[in-house]
């Protein structure tokens, strides 16, 4: 089998490539047909203050429990949902469900919700967040919307306007995976982000790579100078924790403390850590 590509060259499809395409189509079809309420759930990863070990809140992380495949990673299905447009419906459910659950937690705890750049392309993102806040009666400042730098790469003006409207609802905005994107610092001047989440790739190498440590230090310094909180993602070792303490990082999440847990287990984490700071810290 050969096909003409747009450049007029012959491209040959290997049989396994063909099966990859077929597999992708099948997954796409299953995703389209999925009942959101039944097959999707939010898991929650606790976030702690680095210096005191105090529980600060949770990040909501979406899981697809497919009847056919079992648990499918968001790394696999989010890109598909973005392509098919299902991300709009899914994203709306995520923010509603995250706010609903967080409204039952102690008032001090925040909930962080990831939003895809694709969700900015349709006019209903702000409305959906506003409705989720109103229905749940969650104090709006307890909701933190996580976006990646790519949101400001295209349609910058329109997306800045949307971010401002989300801020006007009272929610906070965090920059996720900070350092991996285009890291143009100019937009830090143009929008009052509440938080920079330092990407896991820098945290992972903080012990062995002086460059990674320097970058982490620079991001924390930038945050401190601008009055923006910093969170380290993916903390897995005590050495990483000690380095982050040394550098005065604000908050952290990672397997060292806890992976994302099913919502039924959130209460246990709150019971264990709300009054008593985390044991590892
Ligand atoms: P993210 O927002 O950067 O989330 C952090 C990811 O790192 C999560 O993966 C989390 O489970 C993982 N993680 C946390 N601590 C550690 C650690 O110590 N070590 C390692 N190796 N990993 C750690 P997850 O849950 O698979 O999510 C992957 C990505 O999928 C997220 O990255 C986010 O970009 C996206 N995602 C998840 N839920 C949603 C959602 O509801 N909406 C949208 N648009 N994207 C989502
Ligand atoms: Mg995130
Ligand atoms: Mg991240
Ligand atoms: Mg990410």
């Amino acid at each position: 089998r050969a096909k003409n590509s747009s450049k007029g060259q012959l491209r040959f499809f290997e049989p396994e490539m063909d099966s990859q395409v077929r597999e992708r189509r099948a997954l796409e079809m299953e995703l389209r047909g999925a009942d959101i309420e039944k097959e999707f759930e939010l898991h929650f990863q606790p976030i702690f203050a680095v210096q005191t070990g105090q529980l600060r809140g949770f990040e909501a992380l979406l899981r697809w429990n497919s009847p056919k495949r079992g648990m499918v990673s968001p790394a696999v299905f989010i890109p598909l949902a973005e392509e098919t447009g299902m991300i709009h419906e899914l994203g709306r459910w995520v923010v509603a469900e995250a706010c609903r659950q967080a409204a039952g937690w102690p008032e001090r705890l925040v909930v962080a919700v990831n939003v895809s750049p694709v969700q900015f392309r349709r006019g209903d993102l702000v409305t959906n967040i506003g409705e989720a806040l109103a229905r749940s009666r969650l104090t709006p400042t307890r909701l933190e919307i996580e976006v990646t730098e790519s949101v400001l790469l295209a349609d910058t003006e329109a997306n800045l306007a949307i971010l401002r409207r989300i801020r006007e609802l009272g929610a906070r905005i965090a920059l996720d995976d900070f350092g991996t994107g285009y890291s143009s610092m100019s937009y830090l001047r143009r929008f009052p982000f509440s938080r920079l989440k330092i990407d896991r790739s820098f945290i992972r190498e903080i012990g062995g790579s002086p460059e990674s440590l320097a970058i982490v230090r620079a991001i924390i310094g930038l945050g401190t100078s601008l009055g923006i909180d910093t969170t380290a993602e993916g903390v897995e070792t005590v050495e990483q924790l000690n380095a982050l303490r040394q550098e005065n990082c604000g908050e952290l999440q990672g397997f060292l403390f806890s992976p994302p847990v099913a919502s039924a287990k959130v209460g246990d984490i709150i019971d264990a850590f709300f009054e008593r700071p985390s044991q590892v810290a």
Side-chain angles (χ1 to χ4, degrees):
R1 280 149 281 138
K3 263 192 176 177
N4 284 311
S5 80
S6 53
K7 289 185 187 118
Q9 300 151 321
L10 279 176
R11 281 172 60 196
F12 295 91
F13 288 92
E14 299 300 326
E16 76 255 35
M17 198 176 174
D18 206 39
S19 77
Q20 272 173 29
V21 170
R22 233 182 292 127
E23 163 62 15
R24 212 183 135 77
R25 293 243 169 82
L27 195 62
E28 200 180 298
M29 289 294 285
E30 280 169 50
L31 187 62
R32 277 182 204 273
D35 180 333
I36 293 183
E37 301 273 343
K38 283 196 192 126
E39 296 178 30
F40 287 85
E41 56 186 90
L42 292 180
H43 283 202
F44 293 91
Q45 185 177 37
I47 304 165
F48 296 95
V50 172
Q51 303 302 335
T52 63
Q54 194 183 50
L55 180 65
R56 285 292 172 76
F58 294 86
E59 177 174 3
L61 293 155
L62 188 58
R63 299 290 180 260
W64 178 21
N65 196 353
S66 151
K68 235 170 117 177
R69 296 167 192 265
M71 279 294 179
V72 183
S73 163
V76 172
F77 71 79
I78 294 280
L80 277 178
E82 288 175 335
E83 270 173 45
T84 62
M86 189 186 180
I87 193 70
H88 296 286
E89 199 189 340
L90 208 48
R92 184 172 119 131
W93 178 82
V94 166
V95 71
E97 180 65 10
C99 289
R100 190 185 69 78
Q101 295 209 30
W105 305 342
E107 182 67 25
R108 193 185 77 204
L109 301 178
V110 305
V111 65
V113 174
N114 295 282
V115 167
S116 155
V118 175
Q119 290 175 262
F120 281 70
R121 292 192 211 140
R122 213 166 77 172
D124 60 355
L125 178 60
V126 182
T127 309
N128 292 342
I129 295 172
E131 273 180 6
L133 286 168
R135 288 228 174 100
S136 64
R137 298 169 181 253
L138 184 76
T139 308
T141 50
R142 294 176 60 200
L143 175 64
E144 195 160 80
I145 298 295
E146 295 193 3
V147 298
T148 54
E149 298 168 276
S150 60
V151 155
L152 297 176
L153 192 69
D155 306 317
T156 309
E157 295 308 320
N159 290 352
L160 278 171
I162 292 170
L163 287 178
R164 285 194 200 101
R165 286 173 60 210
I166 297 172
R167 273 288 289 224
E168 281 162 17
L169 294 172
R172 308 270 166 85
I173 314 281
L175 267 180
D176 203 353
D177 304 342
F178 191 75
T180 55
Y182 312 94
S183 300
S184 155
M185 275 173 251
S186 65
Y187 51 64
L188 295 180
R189 223 174 36 185
R190 302 204 54 201
F191 187 80
F193 290 99
S194 297
R195 179 174 306 283
L196 303 176
K197 298 194 76 168
I198 309 168
D199 192 68
R200 183 159 61 86
S201 57
F202 301 112
I203 307 305
R204 191 171 49 219
E205 319 224 298
I206 205 172
S209 148
E211 292 81 8
S212 289
L213 178 60
I215 290 167
V216 169
R217 181 176 294 154
I219 295 173
I220 295 168
L222 182 66
T224 306
S225 310
L226 295 172
I228 305 175
D229 292 333
T230 45
T231 300
E233 301 190 297
V235 179
E236 295 184 350
T237 70
V238 174
E239 289 70 30
Q240 292 164 356
L241 169 66
N242 287 336
L244 292 165
R245 249 198 214 132
Q246 182 92 27
E247 299 302 328
N248 263 307
C249 184
E251 300 182 358
L252 60 77
Q253 350 177 183
F255 294 171
L256 177 63
F257 293 83
S258 170
V261 299
S263 60
K265 287 194 173 161
V266 165
D268 293 344
I269 292 182
I270 293 175
D271 288 345
F273 294 124
F274 187 68
E275 300 295 352
R276 190 167 48 87
S278 109
Q279 291 302 290
V280 187

